[in-house]
Amino acid sequence: MRLEDGFKLDFDDVLIRPKRSTLSSRKLVDLKRSFKFRHTEAVWLGIPIIAANMDTTGTFEIGNVFKKHKMLTAIHKFYSLEEWEKALSSSQISPEYTAVTFGIEEAENAAIFFESLKKKNIECPKFICLDVANGYNEKFLDFVKKIRDQFTNPIIAGNVVTGEMTEALILAGADIVKIGIGPGSVCTTRTVTGVGYPQLSAIIECSDAAHGLSGHVMSDGGCATPGDISKAFGAGADFVMLGGMLAAHEESGGASIERDGKTYKEFYGMSSDTAMERYYGDIKDYRASEGEAISLEFRGPIDKTIQQILGGIRSAATYVGAKDIKDLQKCTSFVLKYK
């Protein structure tokens, strides 16, 4: 047994300290950012916020709205190839602002997916998202290496929460490492397994490791408010992935539920009983559910939520004198809250 010394922090443990600023208006803040990647010649320009690859948030409908803001959507892995072809050929989604998701079990599907689209002259998604709950498995490293050898797309891979594994994934071929184990609002990994890492500290430590190798990190989970997104960027995240904040909208997945005169939509973790039974038929007898299913009051179209998110980040930037989203990290000082 080993005990690590020192405080580890979540978003709720800190506030961003305001600083003197020359920015007179929120509209002066540029939220778009240009990226180059370690393993590919590809470049990307957009707002580095990405809808999570859950079937309730990584939908074509959310992708249709996000592309208008130059934001990314990691499409969930349960759409058929035919559905992908229709969404891309009809311009419902933009390849430039889309990531296609594969798990280890879908390794062989990646080549089939891209070859099928190319044969039909359909432009392929720019990003590949390699997603597993536990990125510490050696098999996952091998998977990343294999996909890197096959494709020139920027690769998103995770999830991990420590610097050494962030470095390992980048050296294996990942351009962006997904950071977060257990912070999501419908993830129960921390309570079921006792495993996890406070999200703010994970971002700080993993971004430091990644940036030294010309890699990037994506904060995944734990953002419940626009202020949390600003804290994630301030801590060093290059991208921020959102799940719960995007759930229960008109464009979100999940069944609608009528109760006591109000409309709700279901939202659940992808390791929950609900998801496993829906997509795999049952729960394997050697594993436990690490997610829960909840119902959230219907929030209407997602545009207003996007406005709140982007407006909140712009406001945070004006409080610390950051002229753009990349500058937010340089200008951020955190104040520890004592409870």
Side-chain angles (χ1 to χ4, degrees):
M1 188 279 289
R2 178 170 171 261
L3 178 64
E4 288 193 15
D5 294 328
F7 288 106
K8 303 298 179 184
L9 304 168
D10 268 320
F11 294 128
D12 285 345
D13 296 321
V14 300
L15 290 169
I16 298 171
R17 181 171 71 84
K19 296 178 181 177
R20 197 166 179 172
S21 171
T22 59
L23 293 168
S24 59
S25 171
R26 295 172 181 83
K27 67 183 179 182
L28 298 175
V29 178
D30 185 3
L31 296 185
K32 293 190 295 296
R33 184 176 168 187
S34 178
F35 286 91
K36 294 181 179 179
F37 303 100
R38 176 185 167 101
H39 297 286
T40 173
E41 296 298 317
V43 295
W44 185 80
L45 175 67
I47 298 176
I49 292 173
I50 180 167
N53 50 296
M54 309 166 75
D55 69 347
T56 46
T57 58
T59 65
F60 291 144
E61 290 77 14
I62 283 182
N64 185 47
V65 180
F66 265 40
K67 71 177 184 183
K68 300 170 187 175
H69 297 273
K70 299 189 185 314
M71 300 194 301
L72 283 163
T73 303
I75 303 297
H76 70 75
K77 63 184 181 181
F78 300 106
Y79 283 118
S80 67
L81 179 58
E82 290 73 23
E83 289 172 311
W84 267 100
E85 290 172 355
K86 182 179 178 182
L88 286 164
S89 60
S90 68
S91 299
Q92 181 183 14
I93 56 174
S94 165
E96 186 72 10
Y97 298 102
T98 303
V100 56
T101 302
F102 301 103
I104 292 179
E105 298 80 7
E106 294 87 34
E108 302 305 321
N109 294 348
I112 296 170
F113 177 86
F114 281 94
E115 287 169 7
S116 298
L117 294 179
K118 288 175 181 176
K119 282 180 180 177
K120 296 189 177 182
N121 293 317
I122 299 173
E123 188 176 355
C124 299
K126 189 179 191 83
F127 292 86
I128 297 174
C129 180
L130 306 180
D131 182 68
V132 297
N134 177 10
Y136 287 82
N137 193 318
E138 287 294 318
K139 188 177 178 183
F140 184 58
L141 277 176
D142 294 337
F143 177 44
V144 174
K145 290 175 185 176
K146 180 177 181 179
I147 297 298
R148 176 76 288 155
D149 289 341
Q150 289 181 296
F151 300 99
T152 59
N153 305 63
I155 291 176
I156 305 163
N159 283 30
V160 299
V161 289
T162 52
E164 67 272 14
M165 205 62 198
T166 298
E167 291 172 347
L169 284 169
I170 290 170
L171 294 173
D175 297 288
I176 306 163
V177 179
K178 206 142 64 78
I179 308 301
I181 292 180
S185 58
V186 287
C187 180
T188 59
T189 295
R190 293 180 180 179
T191 54
V192 171
T193 70
V195 176
Y197 209 95
Q199 187 69 359
L200 188 79
S201 287
I203 296 167
I204 293 169
E205 295 169 27
C206 294
S207 64
D208 182 58
H211 295 162
L213 294 173
S214 299
H216 303 288
V217 297
M218 177 180 292
S219 173
D220 177 17
C223 288
T225 66
D228 292 337
I229 303 172
S230 297
K231 291 175 186 178
F233 283 127
D238 302 290
F239 296 81
V240 177
M241 178 173 271
L242 302 178
M245 290 183 71
L246 308 179
H249 290 90
E250 187 176 293
E251 299 83 358
S252 309
S256 295
I257 304 160
E258 297 293 331
R259 188 167 64 234
D260 300 327
K262 293 183 178 180
T263 301
Y264 298 82
K265 288 192 88 168
E266 63 176 353
F267 178 53
Y268 47 84
M270 296 311 290
S271 291
S272 66
D273 291 350
T274 301
M276 287 190 285
E277 289 171 359
R278 181 164 296 174
Y279 295 111
Y280 302 108
D282 61 4
I283 304 166
K284 304 299 182 183
D285 58 10
Y286 55 81
R287 67 171 297 172
S289 167
E290 293 181 32
E292 63 179 343
I294 61 175
S295 57
L296 299 172
E297 190 168 348
F298 181 62
R299 297 171 178 172
I302 203 168
D303 286 303
K304 187 173 182 180
T305 295
I306 293 173
Q307 181 183 349
Q308 284 292 105
I309 289 170
L310 301 185
I313 300 169
R314 287 192 181 94
S315 189
T318 62
Y319 271 109
V320 298
K323 66 182 183 301
D324 55 40
I325 206 163
K326 187 175 181 180
D327 238 14
L328 197 52
Q329 181 184 359
K330 300 175 188 176
C331 297
T332 293
S333 296
F334 289 117
V335 179
L336 188 64
K337 295 194 296 183
Y338 287 96
K339 297 180 181 179

